[in-house]
Amino acid sequence: MSNTSSVTGQTTPWKQPLDLLLLFGLLLLGLITPFAATSFGAATISSSDVLQVFSHKFLGLGESMGVTERIIWELRLPRVILAFIAGAGLSVAGSVLQTVTRNPLADPYLFGISSGASFGAVVALTLFSQSLLWLSLPLGAFIGASLSVLMVLSLCGRNLATQVERMLLSGVAISFMFGAMASLLLYFSSPQAAASVLFWSLGSFAKASWSGLILPAIIVSLCTLIILLFKRQIVAMRAGDETAHTLGINVGRLRLSMLLLCSLITAILVANCGGIGFIGLMVPHTVRLLFPGRYPLLLTAAVGGLFMVWVDVLARTLLSYQELPVGIITSVMGSVFFLFILGGRSAKRI
């Protein structure tokens, strides 16, 4: 793709055979995933049972399947949808962060946003009553995430384009700081609260419900829509701040707005799912590797959502009669991926 199309945000049509094959494979996976992912779990349920429940609920065909239908409809399907929303939102946030900061290693987790949101959520969980958690939990997570962004920006100064490494180190330092503060709060809280917060902080979709899907779905969808409205300006920032300025873009305002939107996405997901790291790092890089020279944000969201659903399936089935926190699996995968990218950047410098 030419430099002109890179700056203006235009992309060439999807005409390459490999592109079409990958898109077809992704579409096929998207059609299979709801049926296959919903059938995995402690109780053995076949895909045909899932299909029968979906037919009964969506089309009014057949009869109710009793306990099996309750397991699929009330427990597993909301979990699959929440996992998809979380993966899509974190992938979009990671892609935007990497573009507006021109930092290929940027990620809500490494940038300190997830830790700030987790700290704010832990404050709400330990200091406020259970009756106010519906408001205090997402609000505390957003305040913590926004605070971490402001701290990173203040540590890096104005010229963010030339301070990629400093920005990443600032995010890691702030992440450790918020992690230590959250641990201190847990140390002085009750054992029951500490145990519940610890499992939640490692990331889990176990408490997914239909009512709990409303706020994450609305926030992630609205933030993604706003980001898409500024897609051309965001892509123009790839060419550098000076080039974006010549195109009439207020770089400082756009960068801060996108960072706050990413903070809001991360905050609402942390409040509902806990800390899930490295999705925003792995998925955007994978999509850019498969589709070089493009900025397919919706495709990134779809890949991230499907990836997160299958990671959750792995968390449910890897151990017999026990569920692993999702954050542990993503952290193991993400740390290896991070070292791979870091090694590639070092090799290019040599």
Side-chain angles (χ1 to χ4, degrees):
M1 189 170 62
S2 65
N3 292 334
T4 303
S5 60
S6 296
V7 172
T8 59
Q10 297 175 354
T11 57
T12 55
W14 300 92
K15 293 183 178 179
Q16 297 295 328
L18 182 59
D19 286 355
L20 295 177
L21 182 62
L22 289 172
L23 288 173
F24 176 77
L26 185 64
L27 178 62
L28 184 62
L29 181 63
L31 293 174
I32 295 173
T33 293
F35 300 96
T38 312
S39 65
F40 286 100
T44 303
I45 296 175
S46 65
S47 298
S48 59
D49 291 337
V50 176
L51 180 61
Q52 184 174 342
V53 170
F54 283 5
S55 300
H56 176 67
K57 284 293 186 178
F58 291 113
L59 303 176
L61 302 177
E63 298 179 353
S64 174
M65 298 185 65
V67 176
T68 301
E69 181 169 312
R70 291 188 60 186
I71 292 174
I72 294 173
W73 188 257
E74 297 180 13
L75 299 178
R76 294 188 182 176
L77 187 58
R79 180 170 183 152
V80 169
I81 296 174
L82 181 59
F84 184 88
I85 293 172
L90 292 174
S91 300
V92 168
S95 180
V96 172
L97 284 174
Q98 290 165 18
T99 303
V100 300
T101 63
R102 300 186 65 198
N103 183 351
L105 301 177
D107 166 77
Y109 190 77
L110 295 174
F111 211 61
I113 299 177
S114 292
S115 296
S118 296
F119 171 71
V122 168
V123 170
L125 285 168
T126 55
L127 300 183
F128 291 90
S129 64
Q130 294 291 322
S131 60
L132 295 176
L133 282 183
W134 66 273
L135 176 63
S136 61
L137 194 60
L139 184 60
F142 177 66
I143 293 174
S146 302
L147 183 61
S148 67
V149 168
L150 295 177
M151 292 176 69
V152 169
L153 293 178
S154 63
L155 288 172
C156 292
R158 294 185 177 181
N159 194 5
L160 298 180
T162 60
Q163 305 205 33
V164 173
E165 286 79 9
R166 184 172 180 177
M167 185 182 302
L168 181 63
L169 292 174
S170 300
V172 172
I174 289 171
S175 178
F176 277 111
M177 183 190 71
F178 278 120
M181 294 168 64
S183 298
L184 183 64
L185 280 176
L186 292 179
Y187 180 78
F188 289 106
S189 62
S190 64
Q192 294 80 6
S196 61
V197 170
L198 178 62
F199 185 80
W200 166 84
S201 64
L202 295 175
S204 174
F205 304 110
K207 295 185 178 180
S209 63
W210 287 110
S211 60
L213 293 176
I214 298 174
L215 192 57
I218 292 175
I219 296 297
V220 172
S221 300
L222 284 178
C223 290
T224 303
L225 178 60
I226 294 172
I227 291 169
L228 286 172
L229 293 176
F230 289 92
K231 176 184 174 182
R232 294 171 66 90
Q233 292 90 323
I234 294 172
V235 174
M237 293 181 68
R238 284 182 174 183
D241 288 4
E242 293 184 1
T243 304
H245 275 300
T246 60
L247 295 174
I249 299 172
N250 189 327
V251 175
R253 184 191 302 170
L254 178 64
R255 179 177 285 122
L256 182 59
S257 300
M258 293 301 109
L259 288 174
L260 289 176
L261 283 175
C262 292
S263 299
L264 182 56
I265 291 174
T266 306
I268 195 63
L269 293 176
V270 167
N272 284 271
C273 313
I276 301 173
F278 292 104
I279 297 297
L281 176 69
M282 293 186 288
V283 174
H285 276 282
T286 303
V287 173
R288 283 196 292 268
L289 182 65
L290 295 175
F291 304 100
R294 303 179 184 274
Y295 188 73
L297 196 64
L298 290 179
L299 187 61
T300 301
V303 172
L306 292 174
F307 176 72
M308 192 75 260
V309 169
W310 285 105
V311 169
D312 182 50
V313 170
L314 184 63
R316 281 184 277 154
T317 58
L318 195 60
L319 298 178
S320 301
Y321 304 105
Q322 188 175 359
E323 179 180 322
L324 279 175
V326 176
I328 293 178
I329 299 177
T330 59
S331 294
V332 171
M333 299 171 66
S335 59
V336 175
F337 193 88
F338 179 82
L339 292 174
F340 174 76
I341 295 176
L342 200 60
R345 283 170 57 82
S346 300
K348 287 181 181 179
R349 290 181 180 178
I350 296 173

